[in-house]
Amino acid sequence: MTKEFSSIVELKSIREQKSRLSEREQELSSPILTDFTLIPKIYEWFREILSGADCPPNSESVTQRKKFLFIVLFLFAPSVLAGGRLPNGIRAEISGVFPDVSPCVISNNIADVSFIYQQYKDFRQDIEYLYNQIVERLKVKGLIK
């Protein structure tokens, strides 16, 4: 086979790889939850979990807001955490649980949370604990399997 024609085999291989990557991307970006009206209830649970901690932090702090944002984004729009687009309606629902915070601040916090999660072990451990507690409550309510 000439060199020029071997490019056809390479092209076919590239297309197959792209197809597999697209399927995997779709799997990873599929949300666990889609009903944005659950966000206030999840925030209520988030606050309850924090208040039950041995040394409860202020649930209204910027750091706690960022932890909540990370969890909500992971549940409803995981691709946002990897630089994807925020689905319509989610920012408004998040704004509803933080009435004193402008939507622009929420958007700016969203840009931070993935980086903070990757860089700070304590932040990551807190999120994992809070997330697991929230998922357990979602399971008890029959909202996820």
Side-chain angles (χ1 to χ4, degrees):
M1 184 178 332
T2 66
K3 180 182 177 204
E4 292 82 17
F5 294 141
S6 68
S7 65
I8 294 170
V9 173
E10 183 180 4
L11 181 60
K12 183 178 178 185
S13 173
I14 289 169
R15 287 187 176 161
E16 288 170 354
Q17 290 174 28
K18 284 173 57 176
S19 176
R20 283 193 305 273
L21 287 172
S22 291
E23 287 173 16
R24 184 64 179 143
E25 180 182 21
Q26 187 65 33
E27 288 172 16
L28 293 172
S29 63
S30 294
I32 296 167
L33 296 170
T34 56
D35 181 1
F36 298 157
T37 63
L38 290 171
I39 291 173
K41 185 64 174 174
I42 292 170
Y43 185 61
E44 181 183 317
W45 291 340
F46 177 84
R47 291 177 54 137
E48 286 174 11
I49 295 163
L50 286 177
S51 69
D54 291 338
C55 180
N58 176 3
S59 63
E60 304 299 321
S61 76
V62 173
T63 302
Q64 300 310 333
R65 182 175 65 231
K66 288 180 180 184
K67 290 174 187 174
F68 176 74
L69 283 172
F70 187 94
I71 292 166
V72 165
L73 292 174
F74 187 78
L75 289 169
F76 290 93
S79 68
V80 173
L81 296 169
R85 189 177 171 282
L86 193 64
N88 292 337
I90 194 168
R91 188 171 76 163
E93 204 62 48
I94 293 169
S95 294
V97 299
F98 300 115
D100 298 336
V101 178
S102 78
C104 291
V105 170
I106 290 172
S107 293
N108 291 338
N109 286 174
I110 289 169
D112 291 349
V113 294
S114 186
F115 174 80
I116 294 168
Y117 179 84
Q118 292 172 357
Q119 297 299 313
Y120 297 100
K121 182 180 175 185
D122 290 343
F123 187 84
R124 189 168 47 250
Q125 289 173 334
D126 289 351
I127 284 178
E128 289 169 8
Y129 171 76
L130 292 161
Y131 173 80
N132 287 329
Q133 294 293 311
I134 289 168
V135 164
E136 196 55 43
R137 291 178 186 211
L138 289 166
K139 287 178 182 177
V140 167
K141 296 284 186 187
L143 297 168
I144 60 174
K145 294 181 182 182

